[in-house]
Amino acid sequence: ETGVTQTPRHLVMGMTNKKSLKCEQHLGHNAMYWYKQSAKKPLELMFVYSLEERVENNSVPSRFSPECPNSSHLFLHLHTLQPEDSALYLCASGWTGRYNEQFFGPGTRLTVL
Amino acid sequence: AQSVTQLDSQVPVFEEAPVELRCNYSSSVSVYLFWYVQYPNQGLQLLLKYLSGSTLVKGINGFEAEFKKSETSFHLTKPSAHMSDAAEYFCAVSNDYKLSFGAGTTVTVRA
């Protein structure tokens, strides 16, 4: 399998649930990114990992917890979310320091009830 | 920090008519620019990129863009729109270790 994969593709959860989103890249990149895309809003960069080290956290609430165990895998752990967190969550990977071209996964459509 | 501005939030176009999506960037020493397309409920797909060299860049699906340093612009064009071009388009500029994206332009195609 090639490219950037995300699982699950769709997720419905209650406000008290705990779930995790998974992202995997098979491109040999050294950086991975989480974005939030809400309806009628611009893309929001949430987290950036470079060489498995978090280099950016854009004032994201603590109910979102990222984890990058190695350069190929990225997780977003979710707990006690709010309905306004419903959105498309996109993962991307790329090479930092080389133009920063990014390759995106298909996204996880999250609905918080 | 570098940034981009997409000048149109929506662009309606008739099938087989030309389409142009406008993007301006903030000036800097080295500029690396990208156009991505997003179809409904999918991730972003790279259409084309300008890194260096020829200022006219050709991409997938018949799209092209021209880098104009004097105008700080990187407009995306296609001579003849198809129904399958209906999507959201994002302009982006390289910025330190990440990309800065514009707000997006929604293209609708009418028969």
Side-chain angles (χ1 to χ4, degrees):
Chain A
E1 190 174 359
T2 59
V4 181
T5 58
Q6 290 187 244
T7 55
R9 292 294 311 276
H10 300 273
L11 178 62
V12 179
M13 59 187 289
M15 293 168 62
T16 58
N17 291 157
K18 286 186 180 181
K19 296 286 184 183
S20 295
L21 309 185
K22 180 182 176 182
C23 176
E24 189 170 356
Q25 61 100 356
H26 307 272
L27 301 167
H29 292 150
N30 67 353
M32 297 187 78
Y33 309 79
W34 277 119
Y35 290 87
K36 177 184 179 183
Q37 188 177 37
S38 304
K40 308 299 182 186
K41 288 186 177 180
L43 274 171
E44 297 175 49
L45 179 63
M46 300 174 73
F47 301 105
V48 180
Y49 277 84
S50 177
L51 297 171
E52 300 149 45
E53 181 179 338
R54 192 189 312 178
V55 296
E56 182 155 337
N57 175 350
N58 274 328
S59 302
V60 179
S62 59
R63 57 186 183 268
F64 295 91
S65 175
E67 179 189 3
C68 187
N70 55 62
S71 60
S72 298
H73 294 87
L74 184 65
F75 295 90
L76 189 62
H77 303 300
L78 316 171
H79 64 97
T80 59
L81 294 190
Q82 304 298 312
E84 59 264 30
D85 297 323
S86 299
L88 183 67
Y89 288 84
L90 293 165
C91 173
S93 70
W95 283 103
T96 56
R98 287 188 61 189
Y99 316 126
N100 298 318
E101 178 179 350
Q102 291 177 21
F103 296 79
F104 284 79
T108 295
R109 173 67 63 186
L110 174 66
T111 303
V112 181
L113 301 176
Chain B
Q2 302 204 57
S3 64
V4 293
T5 301
Q6 291 184 243
L7 299 167
D8 307 291
S9 60
Q10 296 191 33
V11 171
V13 63
F14 284 104
E15 195 174 17
E16 298 183 9
V19 59
E20 181 183 52
L21 307 183
R22 298 181 294 166
C23 174
N24 285 97
Y25 64 91
S26 60
S27 178
S28 183
V29 178
S30 296
V31 179
Y32 309 117
L33 293 157
F34 305 84
W35 274 102
Y36 285 84
V37 61
Q38 185 181 30
Y39 301 103
N41 291 312
Q42 294 187 27
L44 277 67
Q45 178 184 4
L46 183 68
L47 268 180
L48 49 79
K49 59 190 175 187
Y50 171 77
L51 303 179
S52 66
S54 173
T55 57
L56 185 61
V57 180
K58 294 187 183 300
I60 62 172
N61 302 340
F63 284 94
E64 61 182 38
E66 187 170 9
F67 172 64
K68 291 187 176 181
K69 189 173 182 179
S70 61
E71 298 176 11
T72 61
S73 70
F74 190 55
H75 300 336
L76 181 71
T77 60
K78 184 172 181 177
S80 176
H82 297 157
M83 297 299 288
S84 58
D85 294 325
E88 184 142 22
Y89 293 79
F90 294 92
C91 182
V93 63
S94 182
N95 206 347
D96 295 329
Y97 49 80
K98 60 189 178 184
L99 294 178
S100 294
F101 286 89
T105 298
T106 301
V107 171
T108 54
V109 183
R110 292 177 284 186

